[in-house]
Amino acid sequence: MSATEPVVGDGTRAVRAGLPEPVKYEPTLPGPVFAAHFHLPGEPTGPYTYGRDSNPTWTRLERAIGELESPGEAVETVTFASGMAAISAVLFSQLRSGDTVVLPSDGYQALPLVREQLQAYGIEVRTAPTGDDAQLSVLAGARLLWIETPSNPGLDVCDIRRLVAAAHAQGALVAVDNTLATPMGQRPLELGADFSVASDTKGMTGHGDILLGHVSCRDAERAAEVRRWRKVVGAIPGPMEAWLAHRSLATLQLRSDRQCANALAVALALGPREEVTGLRHPGLPTDPSYALATRQMRRYGGVVSFVLPDRGHAERFLDALRLVDDATSFGGVRSSAERRGRWGGDAVPEGFIRFSAGAEDTADLVADVLRALDEAAG
């Protein structure tokens, strides 16, 4: 950051991120550019040539996300049509047959599908849990370390700085899936990671109506490799989705603060309940990850996980909720929850609940959760 550039807070940065210089009679945030091709006389030397390569609406969003990922630093961001497209872009642009990658064994549900594809391409895949920095035990000789912290859905936390130092010492790259935390919660690039990756479908856009993802990194060469992969596979965001995402970033800090406060309030309310076990939230002082999360996170996230006695109990609880949607996402302004075991991909008990706190009034949300627990137990 230059000496003349003012230091601003998260909210100010989110509201202003990626906006173009003011032009008289023009909107603050210009509308989406819908174009498959652009006027292109002579040699193709300009920034916009064809709609699969680049688009002004993407450019503004990518600049905005970069400003949030690492304020004051030169960051390149590449946006994608979904979080899985962003994840795949890093893995498949950086790995070759014969390489080794380390993935979390307790990460996002679709990672096993990615693992199968990596192995089909001749890439060795090793896995270890997120907690206790267990991935260090299988890191030797790896080309890329993939971290997910807090993990989804178990909410374990690993020490990003420690893992980055170990990986870089042996020449490995590090990518951090920052979906759950968002840049409001932690900034992986500032903790040393080579890539910060997220499904912006969730907390970044926060309204449950956009599929989007992004990859941010400081290394221009790595960014070019990721961008080339996007071009090759065509996993591009639509301009309308990109514009809606940019608009949504303006409320990111406001949403994050309320969601994090609500998640902690729900977790504290769940703690004394006898039917609740396995309660996890990084912001709970009693959580195993609290001390580490406090060192590397700026906000603890809006997700809580816990276990009810069995499948039936969990389903009765979900049915009894009135302010919480039974839905399979998180990070939205409307609270949601689900029994993760219904998908079959996570190693969790049948009564495991992933709860995503929204932006409702805290007292109303807590009251709804406690009432639903009472009904489910009755």
Side-chain angles (χ1 to χ4, degrees):
M1 184 176 291
S2 69
T4 59
E5 186 176 349
V7 176
V8 298
D10 288 343
T12 302
R13 186 174 295 110
V15 167
R16 307 296 305 178
L19 297 181
E21 289 297 318
V23 176
K24 192 174 184 178
Y25 306 126
E26 291 294 322
T28 304
L29 177 61
V33 174
F34 299 100
H37 59 266
F38 301 81
H39 288 296
L40 196 64
E43 294 299 314
T45 57
Y48 306 110
T49 58
Y50 184 65
R52 181 166 41 84
D53 297 340
S54 55
N55 178 287
T57 310
W58 304 349
T59 300
R60 285 188 287 269
L61 174 61
E62 289 168 349
R63 288 173 180 167
I65 293 174
E67 291 175 22
L68 298 176
E69 284 280 8
S70 189
E73 301 289 334
V75 174
E76 293 207 31
T77 296
V78 186
T79 51
F80 289 87
S82 69
M84 280 307 300
I87 290 170
S88 299
V90 173
L91 292 169
F92 292 107
S93 70
Q94 300 303 308
L95 296 170
R96 303 290 183 271
S97 179
D99 286 344
T100 297
V101 61
V102 175
L103 302 179
S105 59
D106 55 345
Y108 178 52
Q109 186 187 45
L111 282 182
L113 300 177
V114 177
R115 176 180 183 173
E116 292 176 8
Q117 194 61 56
L118 289 166
Q119 291 172 326
Y121 289 156
I123 297 164
E124 180 185 353
V125 180
R126 302 175 190 157
T127 63
T130 298
D132 298 321
D133 300 338
Q135 288 174 291
L136 288 173
S137 66
V138 293
L139 185 58
R143 164 67 177 163
L144 175 67
L145 168 63
W146 188 274
I147 296 170
E148 184 179 306
T149 180
S151 61
N152 172 28
L155 302 183
D156 267 326
V157 173
C158 61
D159 189 331
I160 297 176
R161 292 184 183 90
R162 182 187 182 201
L163 289 166
V164 165
H168 284 176
Q170 63 172 45
L173 298 168
V174 180
V176 177
D177 185 333
N178 201 40
T179 299
L180 196 145
T182 80
M184 294 294 108
Q186 69 188 5
R187 295 173 180 157
L189 299 182
E190 295 183 351
L191 298 173
D194 300 287
F195 302 94
S196 180
V197 188
S199 169
D200 301 322
T201 305
K202 301 179 174 66
M204 286 287 278
T205 57
H207 290 78
D209 53 6
I210 302 171
L211 289 174
L212 206 74
H214 81 268
V215 177
S216 292
C217 55
R218 288 199 178 102
D219 189 315
E221 182 178 345
R222 300 290 177 216
E225 292 166 350
V226 170
R227 192 172 288 108
R228 181 181 182 277
W229 178 262
R230 179 181 69 179
K231 177 178 179 178
V232 169
V233 301
I236 60 173
M240 188 65 188
E241 285 79 3
W243 183 85
L244 287 170
H246 196 169
R247 178 211 60 176
S248 298
L249 289 182
T251 60
L252 178 57
Q253 183 259 350
L254 294 171
R255 290 184 280 109
S256 295
D257 280 352
R258 174 60 73 88
Q259 290 162 330
C260 292
N262 279 352
L264 181 57
V266 167
L268 290 169
L270 290 170
R273 302 288 300 213
E274 292 183 358
E275 71 271 42
V276 171
T277 59
L279 176 65
R280 297 299 304 272
H281 177 65
L284 274 176
T286 55
D287 190 272
S289 294
Y290 177 75
L292 174 56
T294 299
R295 290 198 301 271
Q296 73 183 18
M297 298 184 74
R298 302 163 63 249
R299 292 173 176 83
Y300 297 107
V303 179
V304 179
S305 67
F306 57 97
V307 180
L308 293 175
D310 52 44
R311 173 176 177 169
H313 200 125
E315 290 177 346
R316 291 194 301 275
F317 166 71
L318 294 170
D319 287 342
L321 291 166
R322 296 293 176 265
L323 300 180
V324 182
D325 296 332
D326 191 338
T328 185
S329 194
F330 60 85
V333 291
R334 289 174 289 277
S335 292
S336 62
E338 72 168 337
R339 191 182 66 82
R340 286 299 291 175
R342 64 182 177 177
W343 298 102
D346 296 309
V348 296
E350 285 293 325
F352 184 98
I353 300 291
R354 184 181 69 185
F355 188 100
S356 173
E360 298 87 358
D361 286 338
T362 305
D364 294 339
L365 185 60
V366 170
D368 191 48
V369 168
L370 294 178
R371 181 195 49 76
L373 284 172
D374 289 338
E375 290 189 20

